[in-house]
Amino acid sequence: MGLFRRAARSVSPVVDSRRTARDLRVGESGTICCLEDPEMALKLLEMGCLPGVQVRLSGRAPLGDPLMLVLGDEEYTLSLRASEAATILLKG
């Protein structure tokens, strides 16, 4: 499995079962699998969103955007828009 995953196009509507960083609940953790959007990937990689890194949602703004993610063991906190967090795919 590579760093990027392209969405498969299908004729029939299919329920999307992929889990992203945007789907996490406050306090919940996940491990980054890959990054979906190649254009956003460079920005996310530079900010520490690497495949294999554990992320934890530490909070949300009152209206749900932006999100506060804690990356890895170093307790590095990152604030992202919900649309950006939706491009971070999680394992499992």
Side-chain angles (χ1 to χ4, degrees):
M1 182 178 291
L3 177 62
F4 304 111
R5 179 181 293 172
R6 300 212 180 236
R9 297 179 188 205
S10 63
V11 177
S12 63
V14 177
V15 175
D16 195 5
S17 63
R18 297 177 303 174
R19 185 172 170 98
T20 67
R22 181 176 64 181
D23 300 328
L24 292 173
R25 294 188 177 132
V26 175
E28 193 175 13
S29 297
T31 303
I32 298 175
C33 165
C34 50
L35 304 172
E36 185 175 44
D37 183 4
E39 292 177 13
M40 181 64 62
L42 180 59
K43 177 181 174 182
L44 293 171
L45 289 168
E46 288 174 345
M47 292 189 289
C49 296
L50 303 169
V53 171
Q54 181 139 3
V55 297
R56 178 176 47 87
L57 182 64
S58 63
R60 290 181 187 267
L63 296 176
D65 199 13
L67 311 175
M68 286 185 3
L69 296 175
V70 177
L71 301 176
D73 297 331
E74 297 179 14
E75 298 294 315
Y76 170 68
T77 302
L78 177 64
S79 181
L80 291 175
R81 293 180 182 106
S83 62
E84 295 169 337
T87 67
I88 302 172
L89 300 178
L90 303 177
K91 292 182 182 178

